[in-house]
Amino acid sequence: MSNKNRPYEAIIIGAGVAGIYQAKMLADLGVNFLAFEANDDLGGTWFKNRYPGCRFDSESYTYGYKFSRELLEEWDWKEHFSPQPDNLKYLNFVADKFDLRQYFRFGCRVQSMLWDESAHLWSITLASGEVYQARFVITCLGVLSKKFVPAFKGADEFSGVAFHTYDWPADPVPLSGRKVGIIGTGATGIQIIPEIAGKVAELTVFQRHPNWSVPLNNDPISSAEMEDIRSRYDEIFATCKKSQGGFCHLPMRRDYTDTTPEERREFWDELYERRGFALLLANYRETFLDAQANRELSAYVADRIRGRVNDAATAEKLIPTNHGFGMRRLPLETRYFEAYNRENVRLIDLNETPIEGITQTGIRTVAQHHDLDLIIYATGFQAITGGLSSIVIEGADGQVLNDKWRDETSTYLGTMTRGFPNMLMVAGPQSVSGSTNYPQAIETGVEWVTALLRHTLAGQHTRIEASQAGEDFWNAEVAFRQDQMPFSKVRSWFTGYNPNAAAGASDFRYNNYWGGVPKYRKFLQDAADEHYSQVEFS
Ligand code: NA7
């Protein structure tokens, strides 16, 4: 259905956590809009990531939307850290409850967007060739929606089954009796490995760098406990609102320096048993901010790993030496380290024996050939900017977004970028979405974008664009916060490392706002209170 005669007031791109809420807000606003989704159904991340062990790292009751009291009353979480199938059910439940499916067009990948300056309209071209027009485009593309598969020599020749974790098939994947290789030990690999170790004949883990990881401590939620959680929702959300990352953990008030090593060890023993990110977020602030305190905590976690892995040499390989605890995205685990105590699990350290290439029958490192039936690429994403960079976006004066951002990402509040009028980003680059409990961040973004649209429509404006001064201010604030972070020199997707970057490009980019959710929310609120003084309306 092409719609050349009647442009839409808005088009949303993406039907994940952000796109669903954005659709609800636009429906409430009463604008004429459509939402395109490349996948065959809604859910975004929770539609795509179907690998075994995939679940929240955020407490489930802090991950759900909080915009509707009725929704909070109606939905029961079954586990403290809900698994992917339930998360997908939840998002479907939300879409059905608010009758949002009518706005979505699935299997519609947006290929390009072209700004028409004379008409103040975007032309949106789908992979099918269909073209749609809209006054505003709201991108809800997620932060980890563009997978990264390393270009190993010979990968196409492999005669077994191979896929990236993002493409884990919906139909059950036979594991029994199979020789499986997995490349990557980030949050995804660490969730999959213990889940499949007991189901396969052999599991070979190809690790380039280990990550720190601590127990998730997941449990089922009984109906009585769910009732209790429901009665405390206001309190839970108030805590999340105070937390830098939007989680229900607040840092320890007592100073690290006021405690003895014994007291600290006792406290860390307790945090190690607590749920979720407690050891990272409910700890003394200094364990994150002060190098000596961080070294002490890292040594504590290293000892925990040594205590859980039988083979001493394997344990050492699983302990990071290139970054301190919490200096990269902290994966949470369920019996991950114990998986290496199994006879059928083997850890290959790619620093010692790099991969030479993939053969018809497996993976060859410089040391030996590993026969495999299935290769799992748990190799991560082109994080944060990947979704936008896969669309050719041509703005005012023919400027292409990928060119504008070639050397550095640049936005106003992570919501707009100058030269691309009427394009609004939810959970965009330089917002807090890469560093937080995601829904806590996107709710703020969706509400801000919707309020800006309401203001624009009320003023009968047809064009909005971030001012240069607004963008300069935000870029400086983003850089200032990231440079202050103790991990600012650690290479990871937190610091903008892009495995697809052109040769010679910097490993570090300012892709995320590290000032924390409370500060970010205040910047957005101030902008609205000042009647969007850094947005040019015409
Ligand atoms: P991550 O955290 O980016 O992890 C990717 C992993 O893949 C990591 O261990 C990488 O090693 C490894 N990798 C990447 N390229 C290669 C090559 N060429 N050879 C060997 N190993 C490689 O992605 P995840 O999917 O685990 O997690 C992403 C987020 O999803 C996560 O933070 C959650 O928020 C949800 P490296 O450390 O770079 O040496």
Side-chain angles (χ1 to χ4, degrees), residues 51 57 144 148 150 152 164-165 183-189 206-209 211 328-329 350 355 378-381 493 497:
Y51 61 81
D57 277 348
L144 298 163
F148 168 67
F152 290 117
H164 189 279
T165 51
I183 307 172
T185 50
T188 301
F206 297 88
Q207 171 187 273
R208 195 163 62 176
H209 291 105
N211 278 295
R328 294 176 96 189
R329 199 288 199 192
L350 296 180
I355 293 178
T379 44
F381 296 86
W493 67 266
Y497 170 61

Side-chain angles (χ1 to χ4, degrees), residues 272 300-310 315-316 319 337-338 341:
Y272 200 80
Y300 168 86
V301 181
D303 277 349
R304 285 294 200 148
I305 296 170
R306 290 186 187 104
R308 292 173 57 185
V309 179
N310 296 343
E316 292 312 312
I319 296 171
F337 295 105
E338 286 75 9
N341 297 335

